Amino acid sequence: MSPRRNEPDATPWEGLKGLDKLLEHRTRLGICVLLSRGHSLSFSRLKSLLEETDGSLGAHLRKLEDDGYLTVRRKFQDRKPVSWYALTPAGRRALKTHLGVLAGVVKGSASAR
Amino acid sequence: MEQLKQLENDLGYVREVVQRSEHDRSPAGVYLLWAAIVLVGFALVDFAPTRVGLFWVVAGPLGGLISGILGWRHSVRRGQVRREEGIQWGLHWGGMMAAILLAVPLAATGVIQWKGFGNVLLLVISLTYFLAGVHLERPLIWIGALMAAGYVALFFIPAYGWTLVGALVAAGLAVTPLIGGRESVTPAK
């Protein structure tokens, strides 16, 4: 996994640069937040929760998988293949950092208003 | 500024997604199973009091095991499995069973009479259901309240009180899955 992050800056607006590029997309952020809650989720469950199409969700999951943020297990259920996704420790760390930066930005912007 | 607005929208979206993922209930089969167990188990107090203990020693843990299996199968079919959730449920009901086991010596050594032992257990079980409603699955609050009302009613009903309370609680358990809507389960893929 390559952390796609810049160093956080002093002002809240510049702090946005410290966000994880991969998690800047809301679908990928949603996937990671859902999986961070200790869940293993199937492809169809993620699809219905995120209201995404098969193709779009598949592409987002592949990106996260390629960067080592999540793992996939393929099992047979009622003779049909089911893909189960879970967050890796690296994905969990990246999400934690990303949310930390987000919290800083939100806090900074609230005090700037 | 535009970027910050986008960020707020994205966080709102994530919050909605998380809320959607939390909307779930135990499968109807679990409610129906316990409705049947309660109906028989409570009626035995009036009709075959000597068999009540044996019934609950077998039906309690067996019902718990079957409920666990039904719950797990429901989660797999829904495509959302969380190990910690199963542990939470297990600890909750396991704790109640341990408390009941620990209460048996109170009656066995004569500290309290066997006659009132069932009432004490009903109070413990109603509290356990109520707390399950507070922490795990909201509709169980009403089942706990119904049981507590049954506990109070038993002081005033001269005959077949347990059967009546059992029938009311069983009816409550049986209709709970029908109230408030159930999430449709699409097979996982």
Side-chain angles (χ1 to χ4, degrees):
Chain A
M1 186 206 70
S2 55
R4 303 174 177 198
R5 244 179 290 113
N6 301 324
E7 286 304 309
D9 294 282
T11 66
W13 317 104
E14 288 175 346
L16 288 170
K17 292 176 193 167
L19 294 172
D20 188 312
K21 290 284 176 205
L22 202 59
L23 298 178
E24 273 184 18
H25 195 287
R26 68 180 195 170
T27 302
R28 290 193 289 269
L29 180 61
I31 291 168
C32 288
V33 169
L34 284 171
L35 295 175
S36 73
R37 299 161 61 80
H39 290 133
S40 280
L41 294 167
S42 71
F43 184 89
S44 63
R45 180 65 177 160
L46 281 168
K47 188 184 150 192
S48 76
L49 287 172
L50 297 158
E51 294 172 342
E52 288 284 323
T53 62
D54 281 8
S56 165
L57 179 62
H60 288 304
L61 287 167
R62 219 168 11 258
K63 275 184 188 169
L64 289 167
E65 195 189 341
D66 288 346
D67 270 50
Y69 282 31
L70 53 85
T71 56
V72 57
R73 279 180 303 128
R74 290 183 178 86
K75 287 185 171 180
F76 277 89
Q77 209 171 299
D78 299 328
R79 296 181 189 175
K80 289 175 191 161
V82 178
S83 298
W84 287 89
Y85 294 88
L87 208 59
T88 62
R92 196 171 294 277
R93 276 196 301 275
L95 179 67
K96 193 178 170 190
T97 308
H98 184 80
L99 293 178
V101 173
L102 269 182
V105 170
V106 171
K107 201 174 164 188
S109 71
S111 58
R113 279 177 191 173
Chain B
M1 197 64 184
E2 197 61 35
Q3 212 174 353
L4 203 66
K5 192 82 189 157
Q6 179 65 41
L7 213 63
E8 280 176 1
N9 287 340
D10 290 353
L11 288 175
Y13 163 82
V14 172
R15 189 171 55 241
E16 275 175 33
V17 165
V18 169
Q19 280 169 351
R20 270 203 294 273
S21 76
E22 287 170 346
H23 179 71
D24 190 31
R25 275 199 195 166
S26 298
V30 172
Y31 281 93
L32 295 175
L33 171 72
W34 285 101
I37 291 174
V38 164
L39 189 64
V40 176
F42 280 35
L44 280 177
V45 181
D46 292 326
F47 295 100
T50 54
R51 297 191 178 171
V52 175
L54 179 66
F55 176 84
W56 284 107
V57 163
V58 176
L62 192 63
L65 185 69
I66 295 171
S67 300
I69 293 168
L70 289 174
W72 178 77
R73 282 182 58 189
H74 171 77
S75 296
V76 169
R77 195 156 165 254
R78 196 169 65 120
Q80 184 170 325
V81 175
R82 190 167 166 245
R83 200 170 150 263
E84 285 74 13
E85 213 168 79
I87 292 171
Q88 269 182 322
W89 281 98
L91 284 173
H92 183 83
W93 297 108
M96 182 197 74
M97 283 185 200
I100 289 172
L101 276 178
L102 289 170
V104 170
L106 286 176
T109 56
V111 176
I112 59 169
Q113 290 180 339
W114 279 112
K115 194 172 180 285
F117 188 61
N119 300 61
V120 173
L121 293 194
L122 180 59
L123 194 59
V124 170
I125 294 167
S126 71
L127 178 65
T128 312
Y129 265 89
F130 186 83
L131 292 177
V134 172
H135 300 296
L136 299 167
E137 193 161 304
R138 194 43 54 102
L140 293 177
I141 276 189
W142 307 112
I143 303 297
L146 195 59
M147 283 186 174
Y151 165 81
V152 175
L154 282 173
F155 288 104
F156 303 102
I157 305 172
Y160 302 109
W162 280 93
T163 306
L164 184 67
V165 171
L168 280 174
V169 173
L173 284 164
V175 300
T176 298
L178 307 173
I179 300 169
R182 284 173 55 212
E183 189 184 22
S184 63
V185 175
T186 47
K189 73 171 184 179

